[in-house]
Amino acid sequence: VNVQGTINAVEAARKAKPRHVIFLSTILAAYEKTTSYGKSKLTGEGIIKRSGVPYTILRLSIAYKEGDDKTIGKLISLVRKLPIVPVVAGANEKLQPVYSKDVAKAIAEAAMKKPSNKTYCLAGPVISFGELMKAIASAIGAKRIFLPVPKPAMKAAVAIYSLLTLHKSFTNEQLDFILAGKAFSYEDAAKDLSFHPTSFSEGVRKAISHEKD
């Protein structure tokens, strides 16, 4: 869908001769070993770059918002349900979840500027998986025990949990991404797009508080 959809969009853009095409990608496209989604977005980026249309590519990190039902939303759900929350022992993870309102501001800023023909990373400040889970617990006002678990045991637990809940509420592919341990600079986005991301502890608190309104 990402690849063919991008091809179709580029063909239409060539006819319409737009002033500026903004392509939303993912930081998964920057990983040497990535998911099928990351690969499709990387291919899409290449199509945009070779198209001849004026462009800006925005690579998004894990985005979250009010009522989130994706990666961060699923982690919030886990913390709400489990009195003992597993975290991976000895991991070198570097997460950069980004608040959706910060992303929206950056997209609006990019749209108002001349095309840069550049690729920007939209990511939040670096945080570890353990810090992220503790920030979620604090935001929902829950006291939780955080239990360090070896990665193989964590992957087995994720597989069992998905089986017991009869749906892929949180998958090992998502876990591998979380534990990849790679950080990305958003310095160029800060300079060119006035992108100043909210810390996760503040952003998740805002997102959860708005759910209650």
Side-chain angles (χ1 to χ4, degrees), residues 75-152:
L75 292 176
I76 292 172
S77 178
L78 284 175
V79 175
R80 280 183 168 141
K81 292 175 182 177
L82 301 177
I84 300 176
V85 180
V87 294
V88 180
N92 187 36
E93 74 280 5
K94 294 180 179 70
L95 299 179
Q96 293 177 274
V98 60
Y99 193 29
S100 61
K101 290 185 178 179
D102 294 334
V103 172
K105 289 177 183 177
I107 294 172
E109 187 73 20
M112 290 186 292
K113 291 183 176 293
K114 291 182 179 179
S116 62
N117 289 349
K118 290 174 62 176
T119 299
Y120 296 96
C121 176
L122 301 185
V126 174
I127 186 173
S128 73
F129 184 58
E131 290 168 338
L132 180 143
M133 298 300 268
K134 290 175 183 177
I136 291 173
S138 176
I140 65 177
K143 292 183 178 181
R144 294 290 184 262
I145 297 170
F146 295 91
L147 179 67
V149 176
K151 183 178 177 179

Side-chain angles (χ1 to χ4, degrees), residues 9 13 15 48 56 59 67 69 73 106 165 183 185 191 194:
K15 296 176 183 177
I48 292 292
T56 297
R59 285 180 170 175
D69 61 353
T165 55
S185 171
K191 181 176 63 176
S194 301

